[in-house]
């Protein structure tokens, strides 16, 4: 099974900050990685797929990069609506494991 | 509008069974693979199971193998998760989700609202 190690687990930042969340895979997943945003009591929302492709309707301040075993999500200028929990998921091979999540908090 | 609507959650005793359903609308159901993902209270997302378009190929996370069965009825546009021998650690919100692609590997772009399963005596 492919293990996904996501860091950091918690991130404190301010509106306007640039932040980066990283996922490391235990083996190469090529570009088969998605990033999701989840707010309390809600279902996850797809932000980015295939490592760097922005889902329709997602603001351009979100971007994804990387391939293989190290991939990242960057938010270029945090907005109040961005404070949430973020998860990566590999869909290269089953089981399609998620990272542990990163809770993005207001500093 | 593409929608997924889960049902069937509830309170069940350890060792009991429950069947979750996920009713789909707004897309050609038989064309897409589907998955179940769960989230224990206060915890992260955990992938549970997947099924291909025709229902012939199924996959499970190790902790549910032999206890859970994923299936689908393409004539009813409905996905199922039969959960047997339930354990307290199966307590979670269960989401069904649609894969965004039909052939190549795909992320999950449509999610249901979730249904809560509580396993407790």
């Amino acid at each position: 099974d492919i293990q996904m190690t996501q860091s950091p687990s918690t991130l404190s930042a301010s509106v306007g900050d640039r932040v980066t969340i990283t996922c490391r895979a235990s083996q190469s997943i090529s570009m088969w990685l998605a990033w999701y945003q989840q707010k309390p009591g809600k279902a996850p929302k797809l932000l980015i797929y295939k490592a760097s492709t922005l889902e329709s309707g997602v603001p351009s301040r979100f971007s994804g990069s990387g391939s293989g075993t190290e991939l990242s999500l960057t938010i270029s200028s945090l907005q109040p609506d961005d404070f949430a929990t973020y998860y990566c998921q590999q869909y290269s091979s089953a089981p399609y494991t998620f990272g542990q999540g990163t809770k993005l908090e207001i500093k | 509008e593409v929608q997924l609507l889960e049902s069937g959650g509830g309170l069940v005793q350890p060792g009991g069974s429950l069947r979750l359903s996920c009713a789909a609308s707004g897309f050609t159901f038989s064309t897409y693979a589907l998955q179940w993902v769960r989230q224990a209270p206060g915890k992260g997302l955990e992938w549970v199971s997947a099924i291909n378009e025709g229902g012939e190929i199924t996959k499970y996370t190790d902790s549910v193998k032999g206890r859970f069965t994923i299936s689908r009825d393409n004539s009813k546009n409905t996905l199922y998760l039969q959960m047997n021998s339930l354990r307290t650690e199966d307590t979670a919100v269960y989401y069904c989700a649609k894969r965004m692609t039909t052939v190549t590997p795909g992320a999950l772009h449509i999610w249901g609202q979730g249904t809560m399963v509580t396993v407790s005596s």
Side-chain angles (χ1 to χ4, degrees):
Chain A
D1 297 359
I2 298 174
Q3 311 303 318
M4 301 301 296
T5 303
Q6 187 174 338
S7 61
S9 55
T10 306
L11 184 54
S12 296
S14 302
V15 172
D17 283 356
R18 178 185 179 92
V19 298
T20 297
I21 299 166
T22 298
C23 263
R24 289 186 173 85
S26 59
Q27 64 190 75
S28 178
I29 58 171
S30 185
M31 299 184 73
W32 303 120
L33 185 95
W35 290 97
Y36 301 91
Q37 177 193 67
Q38 188 181 33
K39 295 184 177 180
K42 300 293 187 181
K45 172 188 173 184
L46 178 65
L47 299 175
I48 287 170
Y49 60 95
K50 211 172 176 183
S52 60
T53 303
L54 205 62
E55 169 71 333
S56 176
V58 174
S60 59
R61 62 181 180 273
F62 292 91
S63 64
S65 63
S67 66
T69 61
E70 187 154 338
L71 303 97
S72 62
L73 169 72
T74 297
I75 310 173
S76 60
S77 177
L78 278 171
Q79 299 302 302
D81 190 50
D82 299 339
F83 292 95
T85 301
Y86 294 83
Y87 296 93
C88 62
Q89 184 200 23
Q90 67 81 17
Y91 51 96
S92 173
S93 65
Y96 304 122
T97 40
F98 287 89
Q100 303 94 318
T102 295
K103 185 174 183 180
L104 182 51
E105 300 178 328
I106 300 175
K107 186 184 288 185
Chain B
E1 182 188 4
V2 177
Q3 276 193 325
L4 298 171
L5 185 63
E6 302 95 337
S7 61
L11 174 64
V12 61
Q13 292 188 338
S17 298
L18 213 54
R19 188 177 84 157
L20 305 183
S21 299
C22 173
S25 59
F27 65 98
T28 306
F29 184 78
S30 61
T31 307
Y32 290 90
L34 297 163
Q35 300 181 16
W36 288 98
V37 175
R38 67 184 179 182
Q39 186 169 37
K43 303 297 184 182
L45 300 172
E46 180 185 22
W47 180 82
V48 175
S49 183
I51 190 167
N52 74 326
E53 300 80 356
E56 311 91 358
I57 301 172
T58 59
K59 299 181 187 294
Y60 301 91
T61 191
D62 282 348
S63 63
V64 309
K65 279 180 185 174
R67 300 189 299 123
F68 289 13
T69 302
I70 189 173
S71 63
R72 62 192 296 161
D73 186 336
N74 287 346
S75 68
K76 295 183 177 179
N77 288 358
T78 303
L79 172 71
Y80 302 101
L81 187 67
Q82 177 67 44
M83 304 186 295
N84 299 330
S85 302
L86 281 161
R87 305 167 179 168
T88 55
E89 55 264 36
D90 296 318
T91 294
V93 174
Y94 284 73
Y95 296 100
C96 63
K98 171 186 172 292
R99 201 175 77 173
M100 67 187 308
T101 55
T102 56
V103 178
T104 56
L108 303 174
H109 74 135
I110 302 294
W111 295 65
Q113 86 290 348
T115 187
M116 183 70 204
V117 172
T118 302
V119 184
S120 175
S121 55

